[in-house]
Amino acid sequence: QVQLVESGGGLVQAGGSLRLSCAASGRAFSNMSMGWFRQAPGKEREFVACITWSGRSTFHADSVKGRFTIARDNAKNTVSLQMNSLKPEDTAVYYCAAAYLCGTLSAKDFGSWGQGTQVTVSS
């Protein structure tokens, strides 16, 4: 089990950038894949990005590919999501999550979750 705390959300204009961070506690962090998900009002939680424990493999949803980048620092127990060229449709609560594998990239495969951080993109 890992405990996760997100930060870095906020209000930004369309075309702008934000960097989300997730701080993890627990010795299991470096052995776990880490993901970012988001949930907009009235919508289901959706996959955004995942990175394997080593950092060698990353996966990004088609909707964010080329704009968002997931990264991790195992020495600091952190994972980040750099978000560029933000669009109003990126507005959502963003969650950091941990799993043993990126696997199917489904939320049900992730057992530990942070409390979420709000990202709002104005047009």
Side-chain angles (χ1 to χ4, degrees), residues 30-120:
S30 60
N31 297 325
M32 303 192 77
S33 294
M34 298 298 298
W36 286 97
F37 290 78
R38 66 187 181 186
Q39 188 166 17
K43 295 188 176 181
E44 292 189 356
R45 193 167 297 190
E46 66 172 355
F47 167 76
V48 175
C50 190
I51 186 167
T52 55
W53 69 269
S54 65
R56 291 192 186 120
S57 295
T58 60
F59 307 88
H60 295 81
D62 288 343
S63 59
V64 307
K65 207 168 286 184
R67 300 188 298 123
F68 291 11
T69 302
I70 190 171
R72 70 188 295 160
D73 185 335
N74 285 346
K76 296 181 178 179
N77 275 22
T78 59
V79 61
S80 63
L81 184 70
Q82 178 65 43
M83 305 187 296
N84 299 328
S85 302
L86 282 160
K87 304 176 181 179
E89 52 263 44
D90 294 319
T91 295
V93 177
Y94 283 71
Y95 296 90
C96 175
Y100 288 106
L101 298 171
C102 286
T104 61
L105 309 178
S106 170
K108 65 179 176 61
D109 294 329
F110 289 74
S112 298
W113 292 84
Q115 83 287 352
T117 186
Q118 176 71 46
V119 171
T120 303

